[in-house]
Each structure stands twice: as structure tokens, then as C-alpha cells.
Amino acid sequence: MDFKPYGRGAFGQLTKAHAGKPLIVHYWSVTCPPCLVELPQWAKIAAEKKGFDIVFVNTDGDDERARAQARIEKVGLSRAEHYGFADAFVEKLYFEADSAWRGELPFTALVAPDGGVVTVTGAVDDPLIVEWLEKRVRK
Amino acid sequence: MMRLVLALLALAASGAASAQQGAPSADAPKDAATPTQSATHAGMGHPAAACAEAKVDCAATAVPAFAKDGRLWVAFSVGKSVYAAASSDNGATFSAPTAIATVGDGVIDAHGDARPKIVALKDGTLLATYTTRPDKQMIGTIFTARSTDGGKTFSAPQALLNEGGQRFDSIVVNRKGRIYAGWLDKTHALKAKAEGKEFLGSGVAFAYSDDGGKTFKGKSILIDHACECCRMSGALDKDGTPVFAWRQVLDGNVRDHMVAKLSADAARATATRVSDDDWAINSCPHHGPSIAIDAAGDWHVVWFTKGKKRQGLYYARSLDAGKSFSEPEKFGDDARAAGHPTLVAAKGRLYRVWKEFDGTTTTVAMQMSRDNGKSWTAPRVVAQTLDASDHPELIAHNGAAYLSWLTHKEGYRLMPLPRDEKSAAAPQ
């Protein structure tokens, strides 16, 4: 598996590349225990998803990437699309996804087909994420 | 897909049982990140580190301390090595750094709230602390190393503890030279996991040293359920005992702030809640508080929250040694993602600084108070950068306060903060 570099402009490039289709961008780190606890649930969402795309972004540095990869393999997420933070200017990377994001994790951007973004700080069972997934089902 | 949503809800309901899934196993080897006394490093740094040389400008974090002789020491890491370097001109130039340790396996905690630190003792001894984590586990080990020859060499690093898991140390030294250490400790969490029990967060642990950091006594976890990914902060109270502040995981996964005053023998801690922000969230804010205590003995705390009751940066003070805190006062510009606040007391003045980002420029803003935090000068920009940067640090020395800030473009900077309201309020 491979972590594609996630640098300045990456969020815009991702939403552009997935335009026309709903997209989830999920940010996580090996230094975030709640992220690791819920990673299997994200693996399940990625495996069963229909009608939307999902991208995972590991916010750790290069020195943590082996550990991140081991986690991904453990939960069976190797075949998903993965990015890794490749720029120490993290404020910029946060800002591009959500100008109010200070780096708290887990963090998820729910992107509509027209590019509209709703962000969620916190766990996968957040009502906004659950509703978003339900809405995709109705469609 | 509905099945998936339902499965998610079911998983959420059973979250208690799975809450420790991500925690490392209790029997993980602790010697995986044993440091060696080598000056070489593997060159694997944080992404887009400024450079890979053994100098502070190439680091991601820098923590300052003024030594008795007036030199400024900075602890930092590059790649897999921890260093200390001294400056005789307040950070403009640094002498060749002294290597404190290199880890063969694992990583050095030097990212965001986690960072190698250094304190200077009255007798000239330097005490450095840093945390390593082995490659395969999220278990930290805090190491200490001392220099008694003015930073020319450091002793072989010693693990503060050899089992459990420790991160986010905070060192406070009193006027008699007793060194207090506070840290977040996973030992109880690992034990609970091994027993199949739920345990949220880390313990808050303390110890003290009367021999200049050679040995620490009374190591014990006095409080449980601290948020495990935010820094602790410590300050010295008027009576010579320390007070620590951290983010706690309260009932309902509420991640609000606590402070605790430690007894002189570090055996008891009296904890109180700083503020009821009601930030109920199963997440890692990676955003710890800061505490300062002024000469009058008033406690001052700054923090970040996204609670139901308030969101952004807040300040509160306690005039009764933590029994009660003032109504939280908001500061910083939410529209610019104000974050990472810290404060320091210096000779009748109190300073608070924090970071803001407008999409292009990162700013460190500052306010000063001359009335123990009742009123503050208008926010003033004291430093800016257009690229990556460390959290701002504040340090007081000889009655003056300084901003210590490491940025990718400008390198390390130590900037004196204004002493009077007029210059504090003046536009840049």
C-alpha cells in the first residue's frame, strides 16, 4: 500500500477529482487513540460503501508512517485510497479543509457532489456522519 | 447501507467495550526505544522538516530555558536525536549543539504538544527531558538526562519509569531546588485493558527530586482519566509547591480542564475543574492548557475548547488557590482559528500569546495585563510567518518576558515582550 503525499492544495484537488460524487475525507493519526478505536468501523464503511467515495488521510509525519500502515493493514483497509501529511505547515492543511479546524482528531469532511463541505470533529457515530450515510442510502 | 448505519449505531452503543481496542498491550517491550549516546541520527524527520542538520532551525519544536550564567538553552530534536544548544545572544546565534540521546528504534515525541524540554537549576545543572515511543506501540517512555558541566556533556538518559507508558511531562522547580515532575501515565489504562475493563484516558502522575533530577521519589498516579493526547502545564505556587493543569475526561466523555495543587511531598493532589465548557467529544484535541501563577499567588489558566457552552480560547483566574475560578473570558479571533494559547507571569505583568491563521499568514498575538488578569491590552501581533511553525512558548527571565518561537522560514526567534501598556498596545 501507498500513502500519497497530502500537501498544500490537496483538499481542493481531492474535492475536484471526486466532483459529481459524494466524498468522505477522513483524517486520523496513530497518536489519537479514539481514531484507532474506530478505524475498524471506517474499514467497514469503506468496504460496504455504495454511491460515494472515501479517502483516508493520515496526519502523522514520515516517522510514524510505518506504524500507520500497520494499523491500516490490521483493520483491512489496505485497498482504500490513502494519503499522508507531507507538509509541516499543518495550519494550512487544516485551513483548506475547514478554516476553524485546529487539528483535533478524528476529523471528517463530508463533501457533497457540488463541492459543499460539512465537517465533523469526533467519532464516526456523530449524528452528522450517520445522517450523511443515511441520506446516501435513500439516494 | 442502512444495515451499515445500524451497525454503526450498535457499535457506538457498545463503544464502552471497545474503547481500549486501540491501546497498546500491557506486555509490550519497554526497551525498544532505549537511547544510546550517539550524535548520529537516521535523518527521518517530520514531513518537510526545515532541514536535517543538528541545529535548532531544523527542528519542529524548541523549548527554552535561561541558565544561571544568562545563556539561553534550547532543547530540540532532529531526526532520531535530542539536542541542547546554548545561545549567548538571546537566540540570535547558537553554539554547536550537545547530543543528549539518539534512539535506535522508535520515535522521539516532538510534534505538536509533545516536545523535548530543558530546565536550568540554580547550581548550573541542566535537566533535559524527552519521550520516546517504540515503532510498534503507542507507549511512551520519559527519559531524563543531566549536565553538570555547563551543557558540554549530558549523563546517560534514564527512564523515569520502566513500565506502563508515560508522555507529556511537565517540570517545575521550586526555590529550594526541589524538582517536581508531572506527567500523563497509561499504567492504569493498560491494567484495565488487560482485565477487559473500560478506562478512559490516562492517569495524572507526579514525583519529586531533591538531588537535581538524578533520582525521582514518590512516583505515583494520583488522578485518573486525563485526556491522553494534550500537554500538561505546570507552575510554581507562592508556597513553593507546584500546580498542574491538564484536560480531563469527565463523565460523558466531556473533555474540560482541571488543575491540581500538589502537596510538598507529591503524595496528594487537590484537583478542581477550571471551567464547565461541556466539550463532550470522543476525540483528541491535541491542544493542552497553560497555567501561570503570579507573585501574589493568583492562578491564571488559558485553554482551547469546542464545548457546548463556549468555543475558542478562554482565560480564567483563581484568587483562592484553585477553590474557584472566574467566569471564563474569551480571547483570540475565532475567524482565524485562534489556538495554542500560553501565558507567563513576569514582575507584576501577565502575558498571554496564541496563534492565529488567516489562510496565508500565521500570527502570534499578545496581550498584557498589569492588574492580575482583570484587564488586558488590545491584542497585538508580535510575530508572523508564512510557513510551518511551532507552538509559541513564553519564558520569563530577570523580570522580563520573551516569546520563544521556532518557524520554518525564520528559524528560532526569542523576542522580548513590551513592559508597559503603551508599547504593548502600539500597533506593529
Side-chain angles (χ1 to χ4, degrees):
Chain A
M1 64 158 294
D2 193 28
F3 289 95
K4 293 178 209 161
Y6 186 100
R8 291 167 218 197
F11 187 78
Q13 286 157 16
L14 271 178
T15 54
K16 206 171 159 189
H18 292 264
K21 206 172 173 188
L23 169 70
I24 293 179
V25 186
H26 179 66
Y27 298 82
W28 69 286
S29 158
V30 296
T31 69
C32 162
C35 299
L36 301 179
V37 168
E38 67 168 26
L39 212 51
Q41 290 164 259
W42 282 108
K44 196 169 161 61
I45 292 171
E48 298 182 4
K49 73 180 168 65
K50 276 185 191 144
F52 66 92
D53 293 335
I54 186 162
V55 167
F56 293 88
V57 183
N58 174 250
T59 65
D60 297 309
D62 282 344
D63 51 356
E64 308 267 17
R65 210 75 84 205
R67 195 193 305 254
Q69 183 171 339
R71 280 287 172 177
I72 284 165
E73 285 165 0
K74 192 178 166 189
V75 301
L77 250 178
S78 306
R79 288 171 62 200
E81 192 175 355
H82 291 282
Y83 286 79
F85 267 24
D87 192 324
F89 195 7
V90 291
E91 287 86 352
K92 183 85 176 169
L93 306 188
Y94 301 150
F95 184 92
E96 288 173 352
D98 179 345
S99 62
W101 183 24
R102 275 84 155 181
E104 54 278 12
L105 292 171
F107 187 84
T108 306
L110 305 166
V111 189
D114 67 359
V117 180
V118 173
T119 59
V120 176
T121 296
V124 64
D125 59 327
D126 185 284
L128 279 173
I129 296 177
V130 174
E131 277 166 29
W132 193 91
L133 291 171
E134 279 176 346
K135 207 163 137 191
R136 302 282 96 73
V137 176
R138 282 202 292 276
K139 281 184 177 178
Chain B
M1 193 63 211
M2 184 53 83
R3 185 168 55 84
L4 172 58
V5 172
L6 291 172
L8 271 174
L9 292 170
L11 275 163
S14 66
S18 63
Q20 288 300 313
Q21 268 180 2
S25 68
D27 56 356
K30 282 286 292 188
D31 57 351
T34 304
T36 56
Q37 287 280 288
S38 157
T40 60
H41 66 79
M44 264 186 64
H46 199 254
C51 39
E53 295 162 62
K55 56 183 188 181
V56 61
D57 289 355
C58 297
T61 67
V63 173
F66 274 103
K68 199 184 162 194
D69 61 9
R71 281 191 296 170
L72 175 78
W73 282 89
V74 173
F76 62 96
S77 74
V78 177
K80 294 197 175 228
S81 295
V82 185
Y83 302 93
S87 172
S88 298
D89 51 15
N90 278 357
T93 59
F94 282 90
S95 58
T98 306
I100 296 169
T102 296
V103 293
D105 176 25
V107 298
I108 294 162
D109 244 350
H111 179 221
D113 268 7
R115 53 205 39 232
K117 301 178 185 79
I118 191 163
V119 292
L121 308 180
K122 263 187 190 165
D123 67 356
T125 300
L126 299 169
L127 176 67
T129 60
Y130 63 94
T131 300
T132 66
R133 288 182 279 119
D135 278 330
K136 290 180 183 161
Q137 306 284 344
M138 261 317 284
I139 299 177
T141 303
I142 296 169
F143 287 91
T144 60
R146 307 167 71 243
S147 174
T148 52
D149 59 4
K152 287 191 194 77
T153 60
F154 277 81
S155 61
Q158 286 188 314
L160 185 65
L161 284 159
N162 283 303
E163 54 187 18
Q166 298 79 31
R167 291 184 77 196
F168 294 117
D169 61 287
S170 174
I171 303 286
V172 176
V173 186
N174 77 8
R175 287 163 204 93
K176 289 179 184 163
R178 177 168 283 191
I179 302 166
Y180 289 98
W183 66 90
L184 301 185
D185 199 304
K186 290 292 275 187
T187 304
H188 290 174
L190 295 169
K191 187 166 174 277
K193 195 207 169 203
E195 293 168 358
K197 292 178 187 163
E198 184 192 3
F199 188 100
L200 284 174
S202 284
V204 186
F206 305 98
Y208 70 95
S209 171
D210 281 336
D211 57 9
K214 267 187 231 158
T215 58
F216 280 85
K217 294 177 191 168
K219 296 168 196 168
S220 55
I221 298 170
L222 298 185
I223 295 157
D224 273 322
H225 311 305
C227 181
E228 59 213 307
C229 31
C230 297
R231 73 178 175 204
M232 271 182 96
S233 174
L236 189 66
D237 205 355
K238 207 167 71 167
D239 64 2
T241 60
V243 179
F244 292 91
W246 69 91
R247 190 186 296 277
Q248 179 80 356
V249 189
L250 297 147
D251 284 348
N253 229 329
V254 168
R255 294 182 187 240
D256 289 351
H257 291 88
M258 303 280 287
V259 290
K261 184 175 170 72
L262 203 57
S263 63
D265 60 358
R268 282 168 293 116
T270 312
T272 45
R273 187 169 177 172
V274 176
S275 168
D276 176 8
D277 303 328
D278 197 12
W279 191 8
I281 192 96
N282 186 15
S283 82
C284 273
H286 292 120
H287 213 137
S290 178
I291 183 167
I293 297 178
D294 62 31
D298 296 340
W299 301 6
H300 308 271
V301 184
V302 287
W303 71 94
F304 166 70
T305 185
K306 273 191 177 175
K308 279 197 197 86
K309 294 180 181 169
R310 53 185 71 85
Q311 302 88 37
L313 300 188
Y314 285 85
Y315 161 80
R317 67 182 176 280
S318 174
L319 309 180
D320 52 13
K323 286 189 195 75
S324 65
F325 277 87
S326 61
E327 179 67 20
E329 173 214 335
K330 191 176 176 67
F331 65 97
D333 185 355
D334 277 344
R336 292 167 179 254
H340 304 293
T342 185
L343 79 178
V344 73
K347 213 176 184 181
R349 294 175 305 277
L350 205 57
Y351 297 87
R352 63 188 185 201
V353 299
W354 65 96
K355 259 176 150 176
E356 291 184 353
F357 182 64
D358 65 2
T360 306
T361 306
T362 303
T363 294
V364 173
M366 182 275 299
Q367 288 179 288
M368 186 182 77
S369 173
R370 294 205 65 157
D371 54 10
N372 287 6
K374 282 194 218 56
S375 64
W376 296 81
T377 56
R380 177 191 162 181
V381 173
V382 284
Q384 289 185 316
T385 191
L386 294 168
D387 208 303
S389 59
D390 189 15
H391 298 345
E393 297 255 353
L394 289 174
I395 184 169
H397 180 60
N398 286 345
Y402 300 84
L403 168 69
S404 164
W405 199 31
L406 176 60
T407 58
H408 182 109
K409 264 192 196 309
E410 294 82 7
Y412 182 80
R413 283 182 280 177
L414 186 82
M415 287 163 269
L417 297 178
R419 292 187 185 222
D420 60 85
E421 282 102 333
K422 201 177 163 192
S423 51
Q428 199 186 30

